[in-house]
């Protein structure tokens, strides 16, 4: 399996920028995903990184450093609707069909 | 398209009872999977399938059985429920062969979940 670490909870203010970090074991990596999950709902896809660097999608960006086993999700211009849990997941290196999730970071956006 | 559907939404069982959680998708995805989500532990893969007649174990398969007779359906069976199986169960599907494409084409699509309580 994988040891995937994320902070348990974060709080930020509406309109601000927040960075959610994720670290994982560098062995057995073949792509890193970020999902958003609102309370009581299913996870939905936000972003995917397989190469080093930054991927930008509107207000959301995700960064990956494979040598450091590190990724972050950057959320800009925070809105109240961004209050949710953010899940980091990696795909198995030798088995593309196995995915390992972190425990998620609960983001609270306050006015 | 309905996407991925799951039934029931909620279920309460007594220890030792059996039941089947249903999952169906209408996107013609080859890959389907079952996860359980517990507080503080994230999503853990129970079983997955890459096509009709093909299933394999994930991280936490004990106590669960699966089969895949059609592309659309992937039921999860609990043969003898235990309190440790109290959890929220998510089914997911994705197309195969797009692992190098990356992006949204390669993501998993999750169903709405089944909240199971075993007393």
């Amino acid at each position: 399996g994988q040891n995937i670490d994320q902070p348990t909870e974060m709080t930020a203010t509406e309109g601000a920028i927040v960075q959610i970090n994720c670290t994982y074991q560098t062995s057995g990596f073949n792509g890193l995903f970020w999902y958003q999950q609102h309370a009581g709902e299913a996870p939905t896809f936000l972003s995917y990184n397989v190469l080093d660097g930054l991927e930008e999608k509107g207000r959301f960006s995700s960064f990956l450093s494979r040598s450091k086993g590190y990724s972050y999700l950057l959320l800009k211009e925070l809105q109240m609707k961004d209050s949710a849990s953010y899940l980091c997941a990696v795909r198995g290196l030798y088995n593309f069909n196995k995915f390992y999730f972190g425990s998620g970071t609960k983001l609270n956006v306050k006015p | 398209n309905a996407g991925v559907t799951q039934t029931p939404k909620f279920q309460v069982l007594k220890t030792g009872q059996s039941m089947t959680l249903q999952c169906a998708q209408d996107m013609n995805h080859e890959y389907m999977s079952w996860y359980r989500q517990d507080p503080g532990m994230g999503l853990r893969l129970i079983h997955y399938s890459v096509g009709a007649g093909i299933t394999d174990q994930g991280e936490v398969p004990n106590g669960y059985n699966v089969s895949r007779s059609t592309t659309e359906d992937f039921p999860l069976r609990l043969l003898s429920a235990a309190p440790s199986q109290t959890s929220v169960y998510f089914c997911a599907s994705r197309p195969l062969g797009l692992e190098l494409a990356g992006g949204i084409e390669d993501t998993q699509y999750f169903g709405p979940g089944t909240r199971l309580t075993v007393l």
Side-chain angles (χ1 to χ4, degrees):
Chain A
Q2 284 275 352
N3 289 330
I4 301 173
D5 291 318
Q6 304 179 235
T8 303
E9 192 164 356
M10 300 178 70
T11 300
T13 305
E14 193 176 14
I17 299 173
V18 70
Q19 178 175 311
I20 302 174
N21 296 327
C22 171
T23 58
Y24 62 93
Q25 289 177 247
T26 54
S27 61
F29 168 83
N30 195 352
L32 187 142
F33 298 80
W34 283 97
Y35 289 85
Q36 181 189 60
Q37 185 178 26
H38 284 101
E41 297 183 8
T44 55
F45 172 78
L46 283 178
S47 70
Y48 171 77
N49 296 73
V50 67
L51 299 176
D52 291 352
L54 190 67
E55 292 281 341
E56 297 190 75
K57 287 187 178 182
R59 294 191 300 115
F60 294 78
S61 304
S62 57
F63 171 83
L64 177 67
S65 169
R66 289 174 295 170
S67 62
K68 295 181 180 176
Y70 169 67
S71 174
Y72 67 73
L73 180 69
L74 195 69
L75 291 77
K76 303 174 190 173
E77 301 169 15
L78 279 174
Q79 302 175 8
M80 297 301 292
K81 68 178 182 179
D82 297 329
S83 291
S85 288
Y86 292 86
L87 314 179
C88 171
V90 300
R91 185 192 356 244
L93 176 62
Y94 302 110
N95 186 335
F96 280 22
N97 296 310
K98 287 192 172 180
F99 296 81
Y100 304 90
F101 282 78
S103 55
T105 299
K106 184 180 179 185
L107 175 65
N108 303 303
V109 180
K110 59 181 184 180
Chain B
N1 286 353
V4 181
T5 57
Q6 291 183 237
T7 56
K9 286 191 184 335
F10 301 93
Q11 183 71 50
V12 178
L13 292 178
K14 294 181 180 178
T15 297
Q17 286 185 315
S18 63
M19 81 158 295
T20 299
L21 279 62
Q22 301 292 344
C23 174
Q25 53 94 7
D26 62 359
M27 297 175 282
N28 204 32
H29 287 167
E30 300 93 337
Y31 179 95
M32 296 184 75
S33 57
W34 277 102
Y35 292 88
R36 59 178 290 173
Q37 187 173 38
D38 303 294
M41 299 195 72
L43 288 158
R44 291 183 292 168
L45 182 64
I46 304 172
H47 286 285
Y48 68 93
S49 167
V50 296
I54 306 169
T55 63
D56 205 348
Q57 296 180 350
E59 286 182 89
V60 289
N62 293 340
Y64 307 94
N65 282 350
V66 292
S67 60
R68 183 106 178 261
S69 56
T70 67
T71 300
E72 294 78 20
D73 300 297
F74 190 43
L76 180 72
R77 297 183 187 85
L78 285 70
L79 297 180
S80 179
S84 61
Q85 294 178 304
T86 294
S87 188
V88 180
Y89 291 85
F90 287 100
C91 178
S93 74
R94 63 183 260 266
L96 287 182
L98 298 177
E99 291 80 12
L100 297 181
I104 195 168
E105 298 85 1
D106 188 34
T107 188
Q108 297 187 77
Y109 295 85
F110 286 86
T114 294
R115 186 174 295 273
L116 176 67
T117 302
V118 183
L119 303 175

